[in-house]
Amino acid sequence: MPFPEWLRDYKSAWFRPDIVAGLTVAAVVIPKALAYATIAGLPVQVGLYTAFVPMLIYALLGTSRVLSVSTTTTIAILVASALDGVASANDTARLMTASATLTCVVGAILIVARLLRLGFVANFISEPVLIGFKAGVGIVIVVDQVPKLLGIHFHKGSFLHNLLAIVQGVPQASWATVAVGAVMIGLLIAMERLLPRAPAPLIAVAAGIACVDLFGLSAYGVETVGHVPTGLPALTLPDLPMMMALWPPALGIALMSFTETIAAGRAFAKRGEPVPQPNEELLATGLANLGGAFLGAMAAGGGTTQTAVSRLSGARSQLSGLFTSLAALGTMLLLAPLIGLMPEATLAAVVIVYSVGLIQPSEFRDILKVRRTEFIWAVVALVGVVLVGTLEGIVVAIILSLVALAHQVSDPPVHILGRKPGTNVFRPQSGEHPEDETFPGLLMLRPEGRIFFANAQRIGQKIRSPITAVRPKVVVLDLAGVFDLEYTALKMLIEAEKKLREDEGITVWLVGLNPGVLVMVRRSPLGETLGHDRMFFSMSHAVAKYHAGETGG
C-alpha cells in the first residue's frame, strides 16, 4: 500500500479546519450510527464501533479527501434483512457473530472486486432505478420505526403485515412515547431548516437523555436504550458456516456500499482535488469493512449526508475522518452510560427524519418529464423493495438496470435528416424545424450507436420503413454516430444494399464512417461494390454529388 497521498501533500493550514470538520461530523455521525444500528436490529454500541473502525481505516486508505465512512440507512436495512434469517434478536452473542461474519464477507467481496478491477460495476445501476430503490428503502425504514414512536410491539413480518399491525396497534400506543417522538421530530426538522449547520442529531439525543433524567420518563412507559457497555469493542471472529448462508446478501450489500461510496465521493470532490478512483475505493472500503468486522462493526460505506456535513464544515483532508473516529472512541470510553438513557423514540425520530430524505418525489417528476419508460423503471424498483424485500429489491434494481441497458442498445434511433436552410447543417426532421430542406429522390438517414447482432434487425426495419414510404433514387446513410459495426450487422447491410440495388433500383451511399467502421466496410464485399464514388466524408459532399448528378454537372 503506497504512502497516503493526502498525508504526503498535507499543508499545515488544513489542520484547524480538519479538526473542526471532524468533530462536527462526529456530532452528526455518532447519533445516526446508533440509530442505524437499531435499524439493523443490532445493539446500539455497534453504531459506535462502526463510526470508529471503518472510519479510521478509510481515512488512512481512501482516495476521497472528505468522504465520511460509517454506515447508511440503505446498508442498515439490507443488513437487517440479511441477519434476520440467521440470528434471533434475542440472542445477542449470535447476532454479533452474524454481523461480524456478514461484514467480513462484504469486505472480502470488495477486496476481490478490487483485485479483478471491477470498479466500473458502480455504473451498472441506472440513476432512475437507484432513485426508486432508495425511495423504497426510505418507506420501509419509516414503517419499521413507527412502532418505536408509538411504543407498541408486534411480531415483524412483510411490509403490508407491519403496516396493518401499526394501524391496529394505535389504540394501545404509549402517549408519553408519542409525545417524546413528536417533540424530537419537530426539533430535528426545525433545526434542519433554521440552523442547518448545527449538529441536530446530537442536540436531539442530548435533549432526549436530559428529559429522561429530569422528568423520569421511564415511569410513564417511555422505553430507553438500556445498558451500553463501556470500553473498546471485544474481538469478534466470523463464523465459517454462516459465511455460506450470508454471501448472497453480502454481495448485494457490497454493491450498495460501493455504489453509495463512489457516488458520495464524486459528488463532493472540489475542483483541483483528486477524483475518487473506483478500484482504489473498492480496496479502501473493503479493508474498512474487513477490519471493522473483527471489532464489532456492521457493514459500512460512504454516506452522502455525513459527507456533505464534512464538506460544509470545511474539511480539507482525510485527517478530519481521523478526528471523527477518535470522537467515536472517546464516546465509547466515556459516554456509553449516558447513551443507555436515550429514549428509543429519540433514535426512531432521528432515523425517520433522515430516512425520509431518501424519498424524493421531485426526482420522480423530473424523470417522468424526460422519459416515461425510465419513470416506470423507478416505480418498479420502489415497489420491488417495498413488497418483495430490500435484498430482493436490490436484485430487482440490478436486473431492471440491465434490462434498461439492453432495451436501449437493442432499439437505437434512426433519424430522417433535413438540411437547415442556407447551411451545411443536417439534423433530424421535427415539427420544430418545418423549414428544413429535403431533396426529391434523396433520402438521408442517420442511425446512431453501436450496430450489432442484437439490434441489426430492428435498425434494418427502421431504415426500410421510410424507404418504402418515399421510394427514393438514392439512400444516404450517415454513419458518423455509429462507433462500431459488428460482423452480423455488416452482413445484413451488404445483403440489404444488394437487394435495394438489384431488385428496386435504389442506390445506397455511405457518409461519415469513422476509421474502425471504414476499415471493416472496405475489407468486405460492400466496400468493393461501393468503391470511392459512393462513400463520402460528409453529408454535404454527398448532397453536392447528388445535385451534380441530377443536373449533369
Side-chain angles (χ1 to χ4, degrees):
M1 176 61 63
F3 194 68
E5 172 271 337
W6 68 268
L7 196 55
R8 185 180 60 244
D9 300 333
Y10 198 80
K11 296 177 174 60
S12 58
W14 294 354
F15 189 72
R16 186 177 180 279
D18 277 341
I19 292 179
V20 172
L23 296 179
T24 303
V25 172
V28 174
V29 165
I30 292 173
K32 290 176 71 175
L34 299 172
Y36 295 158
T38 65
I39 292 178
L42 294 164
V44 290
Q45 63 266 25
V46 171
L48 288 175
Y49 305 157
T50 309
F52 171 47
V53 184
M55 185 88 69
L56 178 66
I57 294 173
Y58 181 84
L60 294 172
L61 305 178
T63 60
S64 169
R65 288 188 177 175
V66 296
L67 185 69
S68 178
V69 172
S70 58
T71 194
T72 68
T73 48
T74 310
I75 294 174
I77 195 69
L78 291 173
V79 169
S81 296
L83 298 182
D84 187 53
V86 296
S88 167
N90 299 321
D91 189 346
T92 303
R94 182 170 174 81
L95 198 60
M96 292 295 287
T97 300
S99 175
T101 304
L102 179 66
T103 307
C104 180
V105 176
V106 169
I109 289 171
L110 290 168
I111 292 170
V112 170
R114 166 61 182 91
L115 295 175
L116 297 176
R117 306 185 67 81
L118 298 180
F120 66 90
V121 172
N123 301 320
F124 269 73
I125 298 184
S126 70
E127 187 64 21
V129 171
L130 191 59
I131 287 169
F133 175 79
K134 288 189 173 183
V137 166
I139 293 170
V140 170
I141 291 173
V142 170
V143 171
D144 183 68
Q145 295 296 306
V146 166
K148 294 180 182 178
L149 282 182
L150 301 177
I152 60 177
H153 303 273
F154 55 84
H155 180 71
K156 296 291 181 69
S158 67
F159 176 83
L160 295 178
H161 166 86
N162 295 344
L163 200 59
L164 180 61
I166 289 171
V167 174
Q168 293 173 339
V170 169
Q172 288 78 47
S174 164
W175 295 109
T177 302
V178 171
V180 170
V183 169
M184 292 302 159
I185 288 176
L187 177 64
L188 287 165
I189 292 174
M191 294 192 69
E192 286 291 317
R193 293 183 177 178
L194 302 177
L195 299 169
R197 291 181 177 271
L202 180 65
I203 294 172
V205 166
I209 293 172
C211 288
V212 168
D213 187 48
L214 292 173
F215 302 116
L217 295 181
S218 298
Y220 297 95
V222 176
E223 297 180 3
T224 59
V225 168
H227 174 68
V228 177
T230 303
L232 296 172
L235 179 66
T236 308
L237 297 178
D239 181 82
L240 186 59
M242 279 188 183
M243 287 185 178
M244 302 308 295
L246 289 173
W247 77 261
L251 195 62
I253 294 169
L255 177 61
M256 189 51 59
S257 169
F258 177 58
T259 300
E260 291 192 319
T261 296
I262 199 70
R266 286 173 174 172
F268 294 100
K270 279 187 174 180
R271 182 179 299 176
E273 288 183 350
V275 177
Q277 300 300 310
N279 286 311
E280 299 312 310
E281 291 296 283
L282 279 171
L283 180 61
T285 52
L287 290 174
N289 277 278
L290 199 60
F294 292 94
L295 291 174
M298 61 186 283
T304 302
T305 302
Q306 61 205 51
T307 302
V309 172
S310 177
R311 174 56 81 194
L312 291 172
S313 302
R316 298 291 188 271
S317 74
Q318 285 96 322
L319 186 63
S320 62
L322 290 178
F323 282 114
T324 302
S325 176
L326 292 175
L329 175 62
T331 304
M332 283 189 287
L333 298 177
L334 302 173
L335 302 178
L338 287 177
I339 292 171
L341 297 174
M342 184 174 16
E344 291 274 11
T346 298
L347 276 181
V350 172
V351 170
I352 288 173
V353 168
Y354 288 99
S355 296
V356 166
L358 295 172
I359 308 166
Q360 296 288 343
S362 61
E363 293 185 331
F364 284 85
R365 288 195 298 269
D366 291 343
I367 297 169
L368 183 58
K369 289 178 184 177
V370 175
R371 184 173 291 176
R372 179 184 176 87
T373 305
E374 294 188 63
F375 170 78
I376 294 173
W377 294 334
V379 172
V380 170
L382 184 155
V383 173
V385 170
V386 170
L387 297 184
V388 180
T390 48
L391 287 173
E392 294 83 355
I394 196 170
V395 175
V396 170
I398 294 169
I399 292 173
L400 272 175
S401 295
L402 294 177
V403 168
L405 176 63
H407 174 74
Q408 291 170 356
V409 300
S410 68
D411 192 26
V414 175
H415 302 292
I416 301 175
L417 303 182
R419 185 173 68 179
K420 183 179 180 180
T423 72
N424 281 324
V425 175
F426 294 84
R427 59 191 177 187
Q429 293 182 7
S430 71
E432 297 180 1
H433 306 291
E435 73 283 0
D436 282 1
E437 300 171 332
T438 57
F439 310 103
L442 180 67
L443 177 63
M444 300 174 289
L445 302 175
R446 179 186 290 161
E448 292 183 356
R450 182 172 185 252
I451 305 179
F452 64 115
F453 63 90
N455 62 20
Q457 189 73 34
R458 178 62 179 152
I459 291 176
Q461 293 171 353
K462 287 187 171 185
I463 290 175
R464 184 70 201 181
S465 180
I467 291 175
T468 301
V470 176
R471 305 300 303 173
K473 296 178 182 178
V474 176
V475 175
V476 184
L477 294 180
D478 182 357
L479 300 183
V482 177
F483 58 86
D484 185 35
L485 189 66
E486 187 258 351
Y487 179 77
T488 303
L490 178 59
K491 186 176 180 181
M492 291 181 65
L493 180 59
I494 293 169
E495 293 172 353
E497 188 278 334
K498 182 178 180 181
K499 178 177 174 57
L500 288 172
R501 176 168 41 84
E502 295 182 354
D503 298 349
E504 303 179 43
I506 297 174
T507 303
V508 174
W509 293 354
L510 301 182
V511 165
L513 286 75
N514 69 57
V517 174
L518 180 60
V519 168
M520 286 189 65
V521 171
R522 281 180 173 170
R523 290 176 178 175
S524 72
L526 181 62
E528 298 177 5
T529 301
L530 297 179
H532 293 289
D533 294 337
R534 291 161 60 190
M535 288 192 287
F536 301 89
F537 175 73
S538 68
M539 186 65 77
S540 58
H541 290 123
V543 170
K545 171 79 170 180
Y546 180 75
H547 283 152
E550 287 293 292
T551 58

